[in-house]
Amino acid sequence: MSDNPEMKPHGTSKEIVESVTDATSKAIDKLQEELHKDASESVTPVTKESTAATKESRKYNFFIRTVWTFVMISGFFITLASGHAWCIVLILGCQIATFKECIAVTSASGREKNLPLTKTLNWYLLFTTIYYLDGKSLFKFFQATFYEYPVLNFIVTNHKFICYCLYLMGFVLFVCSLRKGFLKFQFGSLCVTHMVLLLVVFQAHLIIKNVLNGLFWFLLPCGLVIVNDIFAYLCGITFGKTKLIEISPKKTLEGFLGAWFFTALASIILTRILSPYTYLTCPVEDLHTNFFSNLTCELNPVFLPQVYRLPPIFFDKVQINSITVKPIYFHALNLATFASLFAPFGGFFASGLKRTFKVKDFGHSIPGHGGITDRVDCQFIMGSFANLYYETFISEHRITVDTVLSTILMNLNDKQIIELIDILIRFLSKKGIISAKNFEKLADIFNVTKKSLTNHS
Amino acid sequence: MSDNPEMKPHGTSKEIVESVTDATSKAIDKLQEELHKDASESVTPVTKESTAATKESRKYNFFIRTVWTFVMISGFFITLASGHAWCIVLILGCQIATFKECIAVTSASGREKNLPLTKTLNWYLLFTTIYYLDGKSLFKFFQATFYEYPVLNFIVTNHKFICYCLYLMGFVLFVCSLRKGFLKFQFGSLCVTHMVLLLVVFQAHLIIKNVLNGLFWFLLPCGLVIVNDIFAYLCGITFGKTKLIEISPKKTLEGFLGAWFFTALASIILTRILSPYTYLTCPVEDLHTNFFSNLTCELNPVFLPQVYRLPPIFFDKVQINSITVKPIYFHALNLATFASLFAPFGGFFASGLKRTFKVKDFGHSIPGHGGITDRVDCQFIMGSFANLYYETFISEHRITVDTVLSTILMNLNDKQIIELIDILIRFLSKKGIISAKNFEKLADIFNVTKKSLTNHS
C-alpha cells in the first residue's frame, strides 16, 4: 500500500480494487458466456457421416424420451390406484429430489467441498421443515395411537414448540459453522436453502393437503399443467410468432394463449371423466384406502348438479330459462385459467435459474427428460394455488351453525351465552334485521334473565 | 476459440477458464482482505496531539452514545405507557428499518443501481408479508366495522387467498424482470429478501402477538436481552479468558456464563416489579387501551400464587412441607436461560453478516449505536421464542365470547345467526334459565324476524 501518510491510503486504493474486481468479473463473465456459446454452436464441419450420426442420436433420444414418458405415466397411475398414502410418498420423494437438485445446481462452486456442515445443515433443515409441515397434516390419521402413549401425545400437542426448537438448533449449528473466507458462500447457501424450502417444500405440503382433500384435487391440477405444456409446445411450433418473455426466448404469445384454450377444453373433459369416481372426489379418512376399498362420503355440493336461472335475454334467444350443471365445471375452468396464465411462470423461474448457473437441466435422473425438477417445476405453483382455491371456495370446513353451537356449548357458561346473544341481537338490529320495537322487547327479556341468573349464582 | 476441429474445443478451455476464474477471485479476495486489514490497522505515527484527539473523540462518542441510550429508554417507556397500539407501531417501525438496513448491506454491490424493479419488488414483498401476518392478528379488533361493510367482510374472510394472489403477483413481477447479465444478482437478492422476511418480519409478527397477549410478554423478554447484553460485556471484561465462538472473537465463555447468572437474577426482580400491574399482565381487548385505562381481566393462573408441596427430605432439613409461589417465576427463569444461551446467536449471526459484507454497523440511524438492526438483532429470536413458549406452556387457549363472536360474524350469514340464537334460547329455556312465558315471547319475535328475512331474500 502507499507509504506516504498524507495520502489517505484507504479511499483511492479501495476504488482501484473495486474497479479491478468489477472489470475482471465482467471479463470472466464474458469469457464464460463466449465459451458457453461456443460449446453449444461449435461449428463442426458438416459431413454426411456427422448428419447421419446426429439423426441417429436424435432418433435414439426421442425413443428414450418416449419410453420414459410411458414409464412415468404408468408409474403415476399405479401410485394413484395404490392409495392416498402412496401418493403422499410420491410427493415426498419428488420434493426431496427437487430440493437436492436445486441445492446441487446453485452451490456447485468448488468451495462447498470443504464445508461438510453446509450439506448436513441443508438436509437437517429439509427434514425439520417436512416434519413440521406434513407432520401436522398426518397426525390426525394416527390419533388413536397418539392418545394411548403419553410421550407421543406430548409430541403431538407440542408439535409447534418442538419444531421451533429443532429449527433453532439448525440456526445455532449454522452460526457455529461460520468460517472466515467462506462467509459469503455460507450465508448465500443459507438463503438459497430457505428459498428452496419455501418454493418446493412448503408448496409440496399444500399438494399433500390436496391429496387429503380428495385425489381429484391432486389429479386435475397435475393433468391441466401437463396438457398446457403439450399444447403450448404444439401451438407454439404451429402459430408461434411473438416472443413472450425474455428469460425463455423460445416461448411465444400465440403458444401461451393457444394452450389456454385447449387447457380450458381439457378441464371440462377431465372433470367429466374424473368426477363420477367417489374414490377421487371423497376426502380421505383412513390412509389405508386404495382404489378397491370403495371409498364413499357425503359429496361436496360442487359435485352435485345445481339449477342456475339464466338471465331473461337468454330466454328470448334460446327459449331456456335455466340450466342444470355441476358447479365443479366452473371451478375446473378457473383452475385451467391459472394453469395456463400463471403456472408457466414456475417454469420460466426454473429456466431463469438454469440460465444463471449455465446448466441445461437440473439433473439427469429421468433419461431423456433431465431432472425431476425439470418435469415438476410448474406443478408446485399449480398445486399450491389449487389448495388455496379449494380452502377458499370449495372446502366445506366452512363454519356452520352446528360447529359454532358445539364450540359454544362446550366452552361458554350460561352467563356468557346470554352475553353472546345480547351482542348478536345488537348487531342484527343495527343492520335493520330486527325492528327497533322488537329489539326493545328482547332487551327487556334478557335484562330480566340476566338479573335472575345473577341472583341464582 | 480454437480453429483446429480435432481439438475438443469445450473440455480444455472450460477448465482453463474455471481455473482462471478461481485464481482471480481468490486473488481479489486476498487483495480485499489485505486492504480491509490495512484500513483498520493503518499505522499512523503516534504523536501527542493525535492521542489527545482520539481521547477527545472517544469521550465525545461515549457522551453521544449515553445521551441516545437515555433517549431510547425513555422513548420506549413512553410508548409502553401510550398503549398496545403504539407498541405495535414501534415494532412495525423497527422491522421496516431492519429490513431496509439488511437489504442495503447485502445488496450494496453496484449492479443494483440500474435494476429499479428489484427495489420495488423488495418493498412490495415486505408489505405483502406484513399485511398477511399482522392483518390476521389485528382484524379481530375491527370486527364491528368489517361486519357492517360487505366489501371489508369479503376481504377479511378471504384474507389467505387474497395474500396468496398478492404474493403470486410479486413472483410474476420477478420472473418478468429477469435480465441476462444480472440473473445471479437478481436470484441472489430474491433469496436474501425471503431470508430477511423470515428472520425479521415473521419473528416481529410473533412479537406483535406477544404484545396482544399482554405487555408483560413483550417487556420481560426485551428486558432480559438488554440485561444479558450488559452483563455479558461486564463479565467478559472482568473474567473473560476463553474465546467463545470464531465469528465473534471478542466474546468469551466466562462472559457468556456470567451473564446467564445475572440474567436469571434479573428475571426474578423484573417479574416481581412487573407482575402486579394488570395493565401489563392482561391480554388486550381494545386497541385504545393505555396505562390510564385501568385494564383488568381474569388473570392467567401463572400470575396467581400456587401452593407447591415440597419433597419430604426438605421437611426434615428446613421444617417446611410446602411453598406458595407464583408459577410465573419459573417461567421467567426459563426465558432468562433462553435469553442467555440462545438469543446471543442472533447477535453472532448479525456480526457474521457484517463481517461478510465488511461493514462495521448495519446503519447509522442511532448516533453512537449504529443502525436499528445492531440494537435489536437478539430481540427478534428472543421475541419469537417467548411467543412459542407462551402458546405452548402459558396460554389457556380459552374460548371466550369474543373468539366465538368473531367466528360467527366472519362465517355465518344473518339467517344462520338467527337460527343459532333460536337454538341457544331453546337450550336456555330447557335449563330453566329463560322462563316459559319469556321463551314464547322470544319465539314469536324470532318467527316474525325469520319471515321478514325470507321475504327480503
Side-chain angles (χ1 to χ4, degrees), chain B residues 304-346:
Chain B
L304 307 174
Q306 319 259 349
V307 179
Y308 292 91
R309 300 187 65 73
L310 292 176
I313 54 152
F314 263 91
F315 183 74
D316 317 338
K317 289 226 177 69
V318 289
Q319 268 68 45
I320 317 167
N321 55 18
S322 72
I323 52 161
T324 310
V325 71
K326 292 181 186 175
I328 188 63
Y329 287 103
F330 302 126
H331 296 297
L333 282 171
N334 291 337
L335 291 176
T337 300
F338 184 88
S340 311
L341 304 186
F342 292 101
F345 280 90

CSV table of all heavy atoms in Angstrom, one decimal, chain B residues 304-346:
chain,number,residue,atom,x,y,z
B,304,LEU,N,-51.1,-16.2,39.5
B,304,LEU,CA,-51.7,-16.3,40.9
B,304,LEU,C,-50.9,-17.3,41.7
B,304,LEU,O,-50.4,-18.3,41.2
B,304,LEU,CB,-53.1,-16.9,40.6
B,304,LEU,CG,-54.0,-16.1,39.7
B,304,LEU,CD1,-55.4,-16.9,39.4
B,304,LEU,CD2,-54.3,-14.7,40.2
B,305,PRO,N,-50.7,-16.9,43.0
B,305,PRO,CA,-49.9,-17.8,43.9
B,305,PRO,C,-50.5,-19.2,43.9
B,305,PRO,O,-51.7,-19.4,44.0
B,305,PRO,CB,-50.0,-17.1,45.3
B,305,PRO,CG,-50.6,-15.7,45.0
B,305,PRO,CD,-51.3,-15.8,43.7
B,306,GLN,N,-49.6,-20.2,43.9
B,306,GLN,CA,-50.0,-21.6,44.0
B,306,GLN,C,-49.2,-22.2,45.1
B,306,GLN,O,-48.0,-21.8,45.3
B,306,GLN,CB,-49.6,-22.3,42.6
B,306,GLN,CG,-49.9,-21.5,41.4
B,306,GLN,CD,-51.2,-21.9,40.7
B,306,GLN,OE1,-51.8,-23.0,41.1
B,306,GLN,NE2,-51.7,-21.1,39.8
B,307,VAL,N,-49.8,-23.2,45.7
B,307,VAL,CA,-49.0,-23.9,46.8
B,307,VAL,C,-48.4,-25.2,46.1
B,307,VAL,O,-49.0,-25.9,45.4
B,307,VAL,CB,-50.0,-24.4,47.9
B,307,VAL,CG1,-49.3,-25.2,49.0
B,307,VAL,CG2,-50.8,-23.2,48.4
B,308,TYR,N,-47.1,-25.3,46.4
B,308,TYR,CA,-46.4,-26.5,45.9
B,308,TYR,C,-45.9,-27.3,47.1
B,308,TYR,O,-45.2,-26.8,48.0
B,308,TYR,CB,-45.2,-26.0,45.0
B,308,TYR,CG,-45.6,-25.4,43.7
B,308,TYR,CD1,-45.7,-24.0,43.7
B,308,TYR,CD2,-45.8,-26.1,42.6
B,308,TYR,CE1,-46.2,-23.4,42.5
B,308,TYR,CE2,-46.2,-25.5,41.4
B,308,TYR,CZ,-46.4,-24.2,41.4
B,308,TYR,OH,-46.8,-23.6,40.2
B,309,ARG,N,-46.2,-28.6,47.1
B,309,ARG,CA,-45.7,-29.5,48.2
B,309,ARG,C,-44.3,-29.8,47.9
B,309,ARG,O,-43.8,-30.0,46.8
B,309,ARG,CB,-46.5,-30.8,48.2
B,309,ARG,CG,-48.1,-30.6,48.4
B,309,ARG,CD,-48.8,-31.9,48.5
B,309,ARG,NE,-48.3,-32.6,49.8
B,309,ARG,CZ,-48.7,-32.2,51.0
B,309,ARG,NH1,-49.5,-31.1,51.1
B,309,ARG,NH2,-48.3,-32.8,52.0
B,310,LEU,N,-43.5,-29.7,49.0
B,310,LEU,CA,-42.0,-30.0,48.8
B,310,LEU,C,-41.8,-31.4,49.1
B,310,LEU,O,-42.5,-32.1,49.9
B,310,LEU,CB,-41.2,-29.1,49.8
B,310,LEU,CG,-41.2,-27.6,49.5
B,310,LEU,CD1,-40.5,-26.8,50.7
B,310,LEU,CD2,-40.5,-27.3,48.2
B,311,PRO,N,-40.8,-32.0,48.5
B,311,PRO,CA,-40.4,-33.4,48.8
B,311,PRO,C,-40.1,-33.6,50.2
B,311,PRO,O,-39.5,-32.7,50.8
B,311,PRO,CB,-39.2,-33.7,47.9
B,311,PRO,CG,-39.1,-32.6,46.9
B,311,PRO,CD,-39.9,-31.4,47.5
B,312,PRO,N,-40.4,-34.8,50.9
B,312,PRO,CA,-40.2,-35.0,52.3
B,312,PRO,C,-38.8,-34.6,52.8
B,312,PRO,O,-38.7,-34.0,53.9
B,312,PRO,CB,-40.5,-36.5,52.5
B,312,PRO,CG,-41.3,-36.9,51.3
B,312,PRO,CD,-41.0,-35.9,50.2
B,313,ILE,N,-37.8,-34.9,52.0
B,313,ILE,CA,-36.5,-34.7,52.6
B,313,ILE,C,-36.3,-33.2,53.0
B,313,ILE,O,-35.5,-32.8,53.9
B,313,ILE,CB,-35.3,-35.1,51.6
B,313,ILE,CG1,-35.5,-34.4,50.2
B,313,ILE,CG2,-35.3,-36.6,51.4
B,313,ILE,CD1,-34.2,-34.2,49.5
B,314,PHE,N,-37.0,-32.3,52.2
B,314,PHE,CA,-36.9,-30.9,52.5
B,314,PHE,C,-37.4,-30.7,54.0
B,314,PHE,O,-36.9,-29.9,54.7
B,314,PHE,CB,-37.8,-30.1,51.6
B,314,PHE,CG,-37.0,-29.5,50.4
B,314,PHE,CD1,-36.9,-30.2,49.2
B,314,PHE,CD2,-36.4,-28.3,50.5
B,314,PHE,CE1,-36.2,-29.7,48.2
B,314,PHE,CE2,-35.7,-27.7,49.5
B,314,PHE,CZ,-35.6,-28.4,48.3
B,315,PHE,N,-38.5,-31.4,54.3
B,315,PHE,CA,-39.2,-31.1,55.6
B,315,PHE,C,-38.2,-31.4,56.7
B,315,PHE,O,-38.1,-30.6,57.6
B,315,PHE,CB,-40.4,-32.0,55.7
B,315,PHE,CG,-41.2,-31.8,57.0
B,315,PHE,CD1,-42.0,-30.6,57.1
B,315,PHE,CD2,-41.1,-32.6,58.1
B,315,PHE,CE1,-42.6,-30.3,58.3
B,315,PHE,CE2,-41.8,-32.3,59.3
B,315,PHE,CZ,-42.5,-31.2,59.4
B,316,ASP,N,-37.4,-32.5,56.6
B,316,ASP,CA,-36.5,-32.8,57.7
B,316,ASP,C,-35.5,-31.7,57.9
B,316,ASP,O,-35.2,-31.3,58.9
B,316,ASP,CB,-35.8,-34.2,57.4
B,316,ASP,CG,-36.8,-35.2,56.9
B,316,ASP,OD1,-38.0,-35.0,57.1
B,316,ASP,OD2,-36.4,-36.1,56.1
B,317,LYS,N,-35.1,-31.1,56.7
B,317,LYS,CA,-34.0,-30.1,56.8
B,317,LYS,C,-34.5,-28.8,57.3
B,317,LYS,O,-34.0,-28.2,58.3
B,317,LYS,CB,-33.4,-29.9,55.4
B,317,LYS,CG,-32.6,-31.2,55.0
B,317,LYS,CD,-31.2,-30.8,54.4
B,317,LYS,CE,-30.4,-32.1,54.0
B,317,LYS,NZ,-31.0,-32.8,52.9
B,318,VAL,N,-35.6,-28.3,56.7
B,318,VAL,CA,-36.0,-26.9,57.0
B,318,VAL,C,-37.4,-26.8,57.6
B,318,VAL,O,-37.9,-25.7,57.7
B,318,VAL,CB,-35.9,-26.0,55.7
B,318,VAL,CG1,-34.4,-25.8,55.3
B,318,VAL,CG2,-36.7,-26.6,54.6
B,319,GLN,N,-38.0,-28.0,57.9
B,319,GLN,CA,-39.3,-28.0,58.6
B,319,GLN,C,-40.4,-27.2,57.8
B,319,GLN,O,-41.3,-26.6,58.3
B,319,GLN,CB,-39.3,-27.4,60.0
B,319,GLN,CG,-39.0,-28.4,61.1
B,319,GLN,CD,-37.6,-29.0,61.0
B,319,GLN,OE1,-36.7,-28.2,60.8
B,319,GLN,NE2,-37.5,-30.3,61.0
B,320,ILE,N,-40.2,-27.2,56.4
B,320,ILE,CA,-41.3,-26.6,55.6
B,320,ILE,C,-41.8,-27.7,54.6
B,320,ILE,O,-41.0,-28.4,54.0
B,320,ILE,CB,-40.9,-25.4,54.8
B,320,ILE,CG1,-39.9,-24.5,55.6
B,320,ILE,CG2,-42.0,-24.7,54.2
B,320,ILE,CD1,-39.2,-23.5,54.7
B,321,ASN,N,-43.1,-28.0,54.6
B,321,ASN,CA,-43.5,-29.0,53.6
B,321,ASN,C,-44.1,-28.5,52.4
B,321,ASN,O,-44.4,-29.2,51.4
B,321,ASN,CB,-44.4,-30.0,54.3
B,321,ASN,CG,-45.6,-29.3,54.9
B,321,ASN,OD1,-45.9,-28.2,54.6
B,321,ASN,ND2,-46.3,-30.0,55.9
B,322,SER,N,-44.3,-27.2,52.3
B,322,SER,CA,-44.9,-26.6,51.0
B,322,SER,C,-44.5,-25.2,50.9
B,322,SER,O,-44.2,-24.5,52.0
B,322,SER,CB,-46.4,-26.7,51.0
B,322,SER,OG,-46.9,-25.8,51.9
B,323,ILE,N,-44.4,-24.7,49.7
B,323,ILE,CA,-44.2,-23.2,49.5
B,323,ILE,C,-45.3,-22.6,48.6
B,323,ILE,O,-45.9,-23.4,47.8
B,323,ILE,CB,-42.8,-23.0,48.8
B,323,ILE,CG1,-42.7,-23.8,47.5
B,323,ILE,CG2,-41.6,-23.2,49.7
B,323,ILE,CD1,-41.6,-23.3,46.6
B,324,THR,N,-45.5,-21.4,48.8
B,324,THR,CA,-46.5,-20.7,48.0
B,324,THR,C,-45.8,-19.7,47.1
B,324,THR,O,-45.1,-18.8,47.6
B,324,THR,CB,-47.5,-19.9,48.9
B,324,THR,OG1,-48.0,-20.9,49.9
B,324,THR,CG2,-48.7,-19.4,48.1
B,325,VAL,N,-45.9,-19.9,45.8
B,325,VAL,CA,-45.2,-19.0,44.9
B,325,VAL,C,-46.0,-18.9,43.6
B,325,VAL,O,-46.8,-19.8,43.2
B,325,VAL,CB,-43.7,-19.6,44.6
B,325,VAL,CG1,-43.8,-20.9,43.7
B,325,VAL,CG2,-42.8,-18.6,44.0
B,326,LYS,N,-45.8,-17.8,42.9
B,326,LYS,CA,-46.5,-17.6,41.6
B,326,LYS,C,-45.7,-18.4,40.5
B,326,LYS,O,-44.5,-18.2,40.4
B,326,LYS,CB,-46.5,-16.2,41.2
B,326,LYS,CG,-47.4,-15.3,42.1
B,326,LYS,CD,-47.4,-13.8,41.5
B,326,LYS,CE,-48.1,-12.9,42.4
B,326,LYS,NZ,-48.0,-11.5,42.0
B,327,PRO,N,-46.3,-19.3,39.7
B,327,PRO,CA,-45.6,-20.1,38.7
B,327,PRO,C,-44.8,-19.2,37.7
B,327,PRO,O,-43.8,-19.6,37.1
B,327,PRO,CB,-46.7,-20.8,38.0
B,327,PRO,CG,-47.9,-20.8,38.9
B,327,PRO,CD,-47.8,-19.5,39.7
B,328,ILE,N,-45.2,-17.9,37.6
B,328,ILE,CA,-44.6,-17.1,36.6
B,328,ILE,C,-43.1,-16.9,36.9
B,328,ILE,O,-42.3,-16.8,35.9
B,328,ILE,CB,-45.2,-15.6,36.6
B,328,ILE,CG1,-44.7,-14.8,35.4
B,328,ILE,CG2,-45.1,-14.9,37.9
B,328,ILE,CD1,-45.0,-15.4,34.1
B,329,TYR,N,-42.6,-17.1,38.1
B,329,TYR,CA,-41.2,-17.0,38.4
B,329,TYR,C,-40.4,-18.2,37.7
B,329,TYR,O,-39.3,-17.9,37.2
B,329,TYR,CB,-40.9,-17.0,39.9
B,329,TYR,CG,-41.3,-15.7,40.6
B,329,TYR,CD1,-42.5,-15.6,41.3
B,329,TYR,CD2,-40.6,-14.5,40.4
B,329,TYR,CE1,-42.9,-14.4,41.8
B,329,TYR,CE2,-41.0,-13.3,40.9
B,329,TYR,CZ,-42.1,-13.2,41.6
B,329,TYR,OH,-42.5,-12.0,42.2
B,330,PHE,N,-41.0,-19.4,37.7
B,330,PHE,CA,-40.3,-20.5,37.0
B,330,PHE,C,-40.2,-20.2,35.5
B,330,PHE,O,-39.2,-20.4,34.9
B,330,PHE,CB,-41.1,-21.8,37.2
B,330,PHE,CG,-41.2,-22.2,38.6
B,330,PHE,CD1,-42.5,-22.4,39.1
B,330,PHE,CD2,-40.1,-22.2,39.5
B,330,PHE,CE1,-42.7,-22.8,40.5
B,330,PHE,CE2,-40.3,-22.5,40.8
B,330,PHE,CZ,-41.6,-22.8,41.3
B,331,HIS,N,-41.3,-19.7,35.0
B,331,HIS,CA,-41.3,-19.4,33.5
B,331,HIS,C,-40.3,-18.3,33.2
B,331,HIS,O,-39.6,-18.3,32.2
B,331,HIS,CB,-42.8,-19.0,33.1
B,331,HIS,CG,-43.8,-20.1,33.2
B,331,HIS,ND1,-43.7,-21.3,32.6
B,331,HIS,CD2,-44.9,-20.2,34.0
B,331,HIS,CE1,-44.7,-22.1,32.9
B,331,HIS,NE2,-45.4,-21.5,33.8
B,332,ALA,N,-40.2,-17.3,34.1
B,332,ALA,CA,-39.3,-16.2,33.9
B,332,ALA,C,-37.8,-16.7,33.8
B,332,ALA,O,-37.0,-16.3,33.0
B,332,ALA,CB,-39.4,-15.1,34.9
B,333,LEU,N,-37.6,-17.7,34.7
B,333,LEU,CA,-36.2,-18.3,34.7
B,333,LEU,C,-35.9,-19.1,33.4
B,333,LEU,O,-34.8,-19.0,32.9
B,333,LEU,CB,-36.1,-19.3,35.9
B,333,LEU,CG,-35.9,-18.6,37.3
B,333,LEU,CD1,-36.0,-19.6,38.4
B,333,LEU,CD2,-34.5,-17.9,37.3
B,334,ASN,N,-37.0,-19.7,32.9
B,334,ASN,CA,-36.8,-20.4,31.6
B,334,ASN,C,-36.5,-19.4,30.5
B,334,ASN,O,-35.6,-19.6,29.7
B,334,ASN,CB,-38.1,-21.2,31.2
B,334,ASN,CG,-38.3,-22.4,32.1
B,334,ASN,OD1,-37.3,-22.9,32.7
B,334,ASN,ND2,-39.5,-22.8,32.3
B,335,LEU,N,-37.2,-18.3,30.5
B,335,LEU,CA,-37.0,-17.3,29.5
B,335,LEU,C,-35.6,-16.7,29.7
B,335,LEU,O,-34.9,-16.4,28.7
B,335,LEU,CB,-38.1,-16.2,29.6
B,335,LEU,CG,-39.5,-16.6,29.2
B,335,LEU,CD1,-40.5,-15.4,29.4
B,335,LEU,CD2,-39.5,-17.0,27.7
B,336,ALA,N,-35.2,-16.5,30.9
B,336,ALA,CA,-33.8,-15.9,31.2
B,336,ALA,C,-32.7,-16.9,30.6
B,336,ALA,O,-31.7,-16.5,30.0
B,336,ALA,CB,-33.6,-15.7,32.7
B,337,THR,N,-33.0,-18.2,30.8
B,337,THR,CA,-32.0,-19.2,30.3
B,337,THR,C,-31.9,-19.1,28.7
B,337,THR,O,-30.8,-19.1,28.2
B,337,THR,CB,-32.4,-20.6,30.7
B,337,THR,OG1,-32.5,-20.6,32.1
B,337,THR,CG2,-31.5,-21.6,30.2
B,338,PHE,N,-33.1,-18.9,28.1
B,338,PHE,CA,-33.0,-18.8,26.6
B,338,PHE,C,-32.3,-17.5,26.2
B,338,PHE,O,-31.5,-17.5,25.3
B,338,PHE,CB,-34.4,-18.8,26.1
B,338,PHE,CG,-34.5,-18.8,24.6
B,338,PHE,CD1,-34.4,-20.0,23.8
B,338,PHE,CD2,-34.5,-17.6,23.9
B,338,PHE,CE1,-34.4,-20.0,22.4
B,338,PHE,CE2,-34.5,-17.6,22.5
B,338,PHE,CZ,-34.4,-18.8,21.8
B,339,ALA,N,-32.6,-16.4,27.0
B,339,ALA,CA,-32.1,-15.1,26.7
B,339,ALA,C,-30.5,-15.1,26.8
B,339,ALA,O,-29.8,-14.4,26.1
B,339,ALA,CB,-32.6,-14.0,27.6
B,340,SER,N,-30.0,-16.1,27.7
B,340,SER,CA,-28.6,-16.1,27.9
B,340,SER,C,-27.9,-17.1,27.0
B,340,SER,O,-26.8,-16.8,26.5
B,340,SER,CB,-28.3,-16.5,29.3
B,340,SER,OG,-29.1,-15.8,30.2
B,341,LEU,N,-28.5,-18.2,26.7
B,341,LEU,CA,-27.8,-19.3,25.9
B,341,LEU,C,-28.1,-19.2,24.4
B,341,LEU,O,-27.2,-19.7,23.6
B,341,LEU,CB,-28.2,-20.6,26.5
B,341,LEU,CG,-27.9,-20.9,28.0
B,341,LEU,CD1,-28.2,-22.3,28.4
B,341,LEU,CD2,-26.5,-20.4,28.4
B,342,PHE,N,-29.3,-18.8,24.0
B,342,PHE,CA,-29.7,-18.9,22.6
B,342,PHE,C,-29.8,-17.6,21.9
B,342,PHE,O,-29.4,-17.4,20.8
B,342,PHE,CB,-30.9,-19.7,22.4
B,342,PHE,CG,-30.7,-21.2,22.8
B,342,PHE,CD1,-31.1,-21.7,24.1
B,342,PHE,CD2,-30.1,-22.1,22.0
B,342,PHE,CE1,-30.9,-23.0,24.4
B,342,PHE,CE2,-29.8,-23.4,22.3
B,342,PHE,CZ,-30.3,-23.8,23.6
B,343,ALA,N,-30.4,-16.6,22.6
B,343,ALA,CA,-30.7,-15.3,21.9
B,343,ALA,C,-29.4,-14.7,21.4
B,343,ALA,O,-29.4,-14.1,20.3
B,343,ALA,CB,-31.4,-14.4,22.9
B,344,PRO,N,-28.2,-14.8,22.1
B,344,PRO,CA,-27.0,-14.2,21.6
B,344,PRO,C,-26.6,-14.7,20.2
B,344,PRO,O,-25.9,-14.0,19.5
B,344,PRO,CB,-25.9,-14.6,22.7
B,344,PRO,CG,-26.7,-14.8,23.9
B,344,PRO,CD,-28.0,-15.4,23.5
B,345,PHE,N,-27.1,-15.9,19.8
B,345,PHE,CA,-26.8,-16.4,18.5
B,345,PHE,C,-27.4,-15.5,17.4
B,345,PHE,O,-26.9,-15.5,16.3
B,345,PHE,CB,-27.2,-17.8,18.3
B,345,PHE,CG,-26.2,-18.8,19.0
B,345,PHE,CD1,-26.4,-19.2,20.3
B,345,PHE,CD2,-25.1,-19.3,18.3
B,345,PHE,CE1,-25.4,-20.0,20.9
B,345,PHE,CE2,-24.2,-20.1,18.9
B,345,PHE,CZ,-24.4,-20.5,20.2
B,346,GLY,N,-28.4,-14.7,17.8
B,346,GLY,CA,-29.0,-13.8,16.8
B,346,GLY,C,-27.9,-12.7,16.6
B,346,GLY,O,-27.7,-12.3,15.4
